[in-house]
Amino acid sequence: MKRTKVSGIILSLSLAMGVLAGCGGEEAGGSSDGTIKIGANLELSGGGASYGQSIMEGMELAIDEINKDGINGKKLEIEKYDNKSDAAEATTGALKLITQEKADVIVGAATSTNTLAQVDIANENKVPLITPTGTNETITVKDGKVNDYVFRTCFIDPFQGTVAANFAKEQFKAKTAAIYIDSSSDYSKGLAAAFKKAFTDGGGKIVAEEAFVQKDTDFQSTLTRIKKADPDFVFVPAFYEEVGLVLKQGREIGLDVPFMGGDGWDSPKLLEIAGAESLENTFITNHYSAGDPAENIQEFVSAFKEKYKDKSPDAFAALGYDTAYFIADAVKRAGDDPTPEKIKEALADTDGLDLVSGKLTIDENHNPIKAAAILKYENGKQVFETNIKP
């Protein structure tokens, strides 16, 4: 997801000039009028729309709950921006939400590439940026330096890729694996690198490495090469639109070994694209499972279904919900005047916050310490398999 648009770049540059011109002037944020403004910079259309829409639904449910009592006399308010699943648009959105809408916090994007497009803007303007689901390691730490104003609610790629590799070895006794990535995605490349390291460090052998790019639709030639390599296991860390076709076409040519991916598979549309039969013997690492019997998870699932007409919340919805509570907790601890700076400091100090996706503690790199869920597909439905602790 690295498409660029000339118009988006021009608008971004013009807004950036506005930011520079306004340095030292009015601070970002809307807390002075009794509200904490959350700028939601999400993929509400385009290839990642399923993710962004789920995050928004989870956030809106949480904010409804939070605003019943408020936070130190204040309430949360969402200002939405559709980044259209495009990095240039995400940059434009971050600038607009900070300079024009005076957001106290930015939430988004859903994908790593679109989140990375906002990191420098958040740091330069000193407004916290929280991605609910961007797992690329460099979002919060680049070249050994922590991005001071950037946080995430999800675990990072190395953890997710390592969990998948260990699962392949332990569950299936896999000695060989193939990796099939979206080479246009930072997310996909990050998971693949972690999987490869963990799998080979454990004595496994990667027998095939193939790649596609976003919006590809014909995967038969590369899948045929993967089949010829005869792997015990295939790792496809990509997004649901392409994954659905990969699974369908892979099964059609007789590639019947276990497939596994990350949270990028987690969309109801995956079933529509792949079909239930193609999803058999496939697995994902994820942030939570609606099938987990834990009481707080089932309360969330019930509330979500009540608000959204019996729709089951996926992990993106759960992380959107958790992100709103992550912010609310930080605002509460930031005191009577929760400026973006104070909210940032409170986010960094989060320790043991109970959320739907697990107990959240933020480490020194602004990443959460939390467990991962393993889910499998049975008859087209996700089934909770187990939780893996860090």
Side-chain angles (χ1 to χ4, degrees):
M1 293 188 180
K2 289 187 176 179
R3 294 167 294 172
T4 58
K5 298 179 181 177
V6 172
S7 59
I9 293 170
I10 292 171
L11 180 55
S12 296
L13 289 171
S14 63
L15 282 168
M17 291 300 292
V19 172
L20 292 172
C23 286
E26 183 181 357
E27 290 186 1
S31 59
S32 60
D33 65 356
T35 63
I36 303 299
K37 188 171 287 188
I38 299 173
N41 190 349
L42 293 168
E43 294 83 339
L44 301 178
S45 64
S50 175
Y51 306 138
Q53 289 165 5
S54 285
I55 289 170
M56 184 62 70
E57 288 172 347
M59 285 180 62
E60 289 180 331
L61 172 60
I63 288 171
D64 286 348
E65 295 173 355
I66 292 162
N67 283 346
K68 287 178 182 178
D69 295 322
I71 312 161
N72 299 337
K74 298 182 183 296
K75 294 192 175 183
L76 302 180
E77 175 186 323
I78 296 180
E79 184 68 36
K80 301 178 185 178
Y81 184 90
D82 178 11
N83 64 41
K84 302 180 178 65
S85 303
D86 179 84
E89 283 285 352
T91 301
T92 300
L95 287 163
K96 182 178 186 292
L97 289 166
I98 291 170
T99 62
Q100 296 181 27
E101 303 299 339
K102 305 301 180 185
D104 296 284
V105 183
I106 302 291
V107 172
T111 65
S112 293
T113 298
N114 296 337
T115 302
L116 286 164
Q118 305 175 65
V119 167
D120 289 344
I121 296 167
N123 284 329
E124 290 165 7
N125 289 278
K126 299 184 177 181
V127 173
L129 168 69
I130 307 170
T131 173
T133 53
T135 53
N136 185 275
E137 193 172 13
T138 62
I139 288 171
T140 52
V141 180
K142 187 174 182 181
D143 299 327
K145 183 180 179 182
V146 176
N147 288 317
D148 201 25
Y149 284 81
V150 185
F151 301 83
R152 73 179 102 222
T153 325
C154 56
F155 45 65
I156 62 176
D157 290 341
F159 177 54
Q160 193 169 193
T162 299
V163 166
N166 291 339
F167 183 76
K169 291 183 291 183
E170 294 168 10
Q171 180 74 14
F172 295 103
K173 310 303 179 188
K175 297 189 182 302
T176 61
I179 300 174
Y180 196 17
I181 71 166
D182 175 355
S183 61
S184 62
S185 164
D186 296 309
Y187 162 84
S188 188
K189 290 183 285 189
L191 263 72
F195 177 91
K196 181 177 181 178
K197 183 179 188 306
F199 193 77
T200 56
D201 284 354
K205 182 179 180 182
I206 304 299
V207 294
E209 293 184 69
E210 298 289 347
F212 57 88
V213 295
Q214 189 185 25
K215 301 302 181 185
D216 278 355
T217 58
D218 185 354
F219 305 93
Q220 289 202 4
S221 61
T222 46
L223 286 168
T224 298
R225 289 198 295 270
I226 288 173
K227 182 183 178 184
K228 188 175 180 180
D230 195 26
D232 298 326
F233 191 89
V234 180
F235 186 55
V236 189
F239 299 122
Y240 65 89
E241 285 189 311
E242 290 77 27
V243 168
L245 294 173
V246 166
L247 294 174
K248 185 177 179 63
Q249 294 173 27
R251 298 314 192 198
E252 286 172 351
I253 65 168
L255 189 53
D256 296 326
V257 298
F259 276 72
M260 190 169 189
D263 55 333
W265 288 32
D266 191 20
S267 169
K269 293 186 179 295
L270 179 65
L271 174 61
E272 295 176 20
I273 298 167
E277 187 174 350
S278 297
L279 281 168
E280 290 297 311
N281 202 25
T282 69
F283 304 81
I284 62 172
T285 53
N286 215 342
H287 306 271
Y288 110 119
S289 168
D292 190 321
E295 183 178 355
N296 67 325
I297 291 178
Q298 291 310 309
E299 288 175 353
F300 161 68
V301 171
S302 295
F304 191 92
K305 286 184 173 181
E306 182 177 350
K307 182 174 176 65
Y308 297 109
K309 300 178 181 178
D310 210 35
K311 180 180 178 181
S312 182
D314 59 19
F316 289 82
L319 287 167
Y321 182 87
D322 281 355
T323 299
Y325 272 100
F326 181 27
I327 293 168
D329 177 70
V331 168
K332 183 176 181 180
R333 289 184 287 107
D336 294 335
D337 182 24
T339 63
E341 176 70 24
K342 291 180 181 177
I343 293 171
K344 181 265 294 185
E345 292 171 356
L347 290 168
D349 289 339
T350 301
D351 186 6
L353 178 65
D354 283 315
L355 298 174
V356 166
S357 60
K359 193 178 288 289
L360 178 67
T361 294
I362 295 297
D363 69 14
E364 67 275 10
N365 292 324
H366 291 184
N367 298 320
I369 302 169
K370 61 194 301 189
I374 300 288
L375 312 180
K376 62 181 177 180
Y377 284 91
E378 289 184 356
N379 300 317
K381 295 182 179 180
Q382 290 182 356
V383 178
F384 176 66
E385 182 89 354
T386 187
N387 279 318
I388 306 293
K389 294 182 179 180

